[in-house]
Amino acid sequence: MTMAEYVLETRHLGIRFGGLKAVDDVNIQIKKNQIYGLIGPNGAGKTTVFNLVTGVYAPTEGEIYLDGQWIGGLSQEKINHMGIARTFQNIRLFNNMSVIQNVMVGLHHDPDFNSGFLSTIFRLPKHFQVEKGMRARALKLLELFDLQGEQNEKAFNLPYGKQRKLEIARALATDPKLLLLDEPAAGMNPQETDELMETIRRVRDEFDMTILLIEHDMSLVSGTCDEVTVLNFGTTLAQGTVSEALSDPEVIRAYLGDDN
């Protein structure tokens, strides 16, 4: 079997809601280890594309492939098990659980950490052995984000920037091939954004990860993304490097308006 050329590929991807075409003929090709940006004005269809890729919506047109395997229309759980994890624009943590427990939740699908029903119910030695292994793995992830010192804190006690990092750590715990980040810098100050930029690059390098992100902060996009697709009203305006895309007259018009 030959390795797929792209980790993620969409072909003529589209979805209609009644008579409205929310996404139309979107073609994205992301190679292994790329950090790829999906950008555009508000309402451009970016999050809808994320929802199609992750199984929230089933496409009404086109195809989606993960490592050459068709995933269009599969359930969210199936797609996650096949290797796609995501974060959300609005942080979704288990606020009353500890930081390390949030990451451990992401490890439950790993067969290495399956102690079995009876072992868990009766608190047999294997249950404690598996839990110890999960905590060790979760702690390693927290160390990557410099969160090991807060491992026993409740998630809601973390500052905003660290909550963002914790959400990424939990997503990585599912051992994905492709990580989707939905506006990871939203609400961050410039220092937090710079730290996040470094974190995204480290995740790519240390986990051999492929990343697709939605972002409005162009400094973060320019500082991390190898290529971008620019959407507007659900269609593709431009594709290429960040500098190529942002210098495209149609993109400038979409962002800044037409003075003529």
Side-chain angles (χ1 to χ4, degrees):
M1 179 182 290
T2 58
M3 182 177 288
E5 185 176 359
Y6 304 110
V7 172
L8 180 73
E9 182 178 14
T10 70
R11 300 176 186 172
H12 309 294
L13 183 63
I15 187 171
R16 293 174 179 267
F17 297 106
L20 172 67
K21 268 193 173 182
V23 170
D24 183 25
D25 197 28
V26 171
N27 298 279
I28 298 172
Q29 297 171 329
I30 306 176
K31 295 179 180 178
K32 185 174 176 57
N33 299 128
Q34 275 193 312
I35 301 175
Y36 198 102
L38 193 60
I39 65 175
N42 289 329
K46 305 180 296 294
T47 297
T48 302
V49 170
F50 263 37
N51 287 337
L52 288 165
V53 170
T54 56
V56 176
Y57 302 141
T60 52
E61 301 167 8
E63 301 163 294
I64 310 170
Y65 295 92
L66 176 68
D67 259 351
Q69 292 183 281
W70 174 85
I71 62 169
L74 296 180
S75 70
Q76 295 179 65
E77 183 178 12
K78 178 67 173 175
I79 289 172
N80 178 253
H81 286 174
M82 292 176 70
I84 294 181
R86 74 176 290 183
T87 65
F88 294 86
Q89 183 177 349
N90 300 313
I91 297 173
R92 299 184 186 182
L93 294 172
F94 299 105
N95 283 323
N96 288 312
M97 293 172 61
S98 70
V99 167
I100 197 165
Q101 286 172 336
N102 266 270
V103 179
M104 289 170 69
V105 166
L107 295 169
H108 274 95
H109 291 309
D110 190 325
D112 290 342
F113 299 125
N114 182 10
S115 60
F117 178 73
L118 291 178
S119 179
T120 301
I121 290 294
F122 293 107
R123 313 288 284 180
L124 299 178
K126 185 178 180 182
H127 166 77
F128 293 103
Q129 181 182 355
V130 165
E131 184 176 14
K132 183 179 179 181
M134 290 178 73
R135 292 186 71 87
R137 179 81 67 85
L139 185 58
K140 283 188 175 182
L141 283 167
L142 291 176
E143 287 171 352
L144 174 68
F145 296 92
D146 198 25
L147 292 173
Q148 67 274 18
E150 291 98 340
Q151 62 178 293
N152 295 318
E153 286 280 350
K154 298 289 189 190
F156 70 82
N157 284 332
L158 292 182
Y160 185 84
K162 290 190 175 184
Q163 287 188 20
R164 282 281 179 197
K165 291 181 179 180
L166 176 57
E167 193 179 31
I168 297 173
R170 186 181 61 186
L172 288 172
T174 66
D175 194 25
K177 301 174 183 176
L178 176 68
L179 177 63
L180 274 58
L181 304 177
D182 191 348
E183 296 197 32
M188 287 189 173
N189 61 42
Q191 180 181 341
E192 289 171 331
T193 300
D194 287 344
E195 291 175 0
L196 177 66
M197 195 181 310
E198 178 62 27
T199 297
I200 291 171
R201 289 193 291 253
R202 285 179 63 196
V203 166
R204 188 264 310 275
D205 296 339
E206 296 191 23
F207 287 84
D208 202 24
M209 187 62 59
T210 306
I211 298 171
L212 171 62
L213 64 88
I214 293 172
E215 189 49 69
H216 287 287
D217 188 318
M218 287 301 108
S219 67
L220 187 142
V221 172
S222 299
T224 58
C225 292
D226 302 302
E227 293 185 66
V228 296
T229 288
V230 187
L231 296 181
N232 195 32
F233 297 112
T235 62
T236 301
L237 280 187
Q239 289 180 311
T241 66
V242 178
S243 59
E244 288 170 347
L246 294 184
S247 63
D248 185 286
E250 290 298 318
V251 174
I252 295 170
R253 191 173 294 115
Y255 270 102
L256 301 179
D258 191 346
D259 293 333
N260 296 323

